[in-house]
Amino acid sequence: MLKITGKTDVYGIFGFPVEHSLSPLMQTAAFHTLGIDAVYVPFEVNPENLKDAVAGLRAMNIRGINITVPLKEKIVPLLDKVDEAAAFLGAVNTVKNENGILSGYNTDGDGFVDSLEEEGVDISGKTVLLIGAGGSGKAVAFALLKRGAEKVVIANRTVEKAESLAGKLESYGKVEAVSLGDVENLLEKVDLIVNTTSLGMKESDPPLFNYILIPSSVTVVDIIYKPFKTKLLLAAEENGAKIVNGLGMLVHQGARAFRIWTGRKPPIDVMKRVLMEQLW
Ligand code: ATR
């Protein structure tokens, strides 16, 4: 039974809206499993009130907070320090409060790479075709290069955004920007294909390219976690390619936040199971 006392630590998530967030369920399960005396609650924070909400973290000694859309960028200047990924991305998804000193982290990209490792996918020395150059694409591309990928080819509908991101990543490794139309010619030259766009969430979404052309030799990853198998993943599986769904990224970005806050080894299997039960 959940026992809340005067000593219980408070954690939560800021979002606007926040009602669809799965983090309260996942983090509460993690605290409960390890017997940590803490609760994790959703806070709907209108962007115009973010400054007051951050002051509230200090004032009320809230121990840690996750940050989701549309606040990840806006919170950066309100914190005392940020880690390297958050500084590069200009976006924070995790805040730790230590006696009023607020440290910001971004665990999205590392969570993505952790989820690949969990599936036995080694990125070292690999060439990755990354589709999408938005916030998620940026986080994933940065982590891939930092953690040993040989090259990241960024394909985006708006090619200028891919070029701009490639420029920012140049000092971290080999990067190239291409248009979505170039993707089909690159499929045989890459080890991993990663979709970081939202295309595929809806049944009616068109394909990003002709999925029949996916070679069996590649690993295909979709950061979308619902549906469990997007059209991209279904087609890749049909062709004999290894596939990885986005649920692992959601779990592992949360697991890293949990470790930052508590210093404890996160109960990954429990976190994943409660999400699976909620989603399917
Ligand atoms: P997120 O934070 O989830 O990455 P985002 O920053 O809004 O969200 O980025 C969305 C990404 O999905 C972009 O790469 C976007 O391409 P554009 O830069 O050309 O807009 C991509 N995207 C969204 N809808 C798309 C569509 N219908 N076809 C192709 N790409 C799409």
Side-chain angles (χ1 to χ4, degrees), residues 40-61:
Y40 183 109
V41 289
F43 294 103
E44 187 180 85
V45 177
N46 188 309
E48 64 191 37
N49 296 328
L50 183 61
K51 203 168 171 225
D52 291 344
V54 170
L57 292 179
R58 292 190 178 96
M60 297 189 285
N61 197 22

Side-chain angles (χ1 to χ4, degrees), residues 213-230:
L213 302 173
I214 296 172
S216 62
S217 55
V218 297
T219 296
V220 180
V221 193
D222 206 323
I223 71 161
I224 294 170
Y225 53 83
K226 193 170 184 168
F228 196 74
K229 288 180 187 171
T230 55

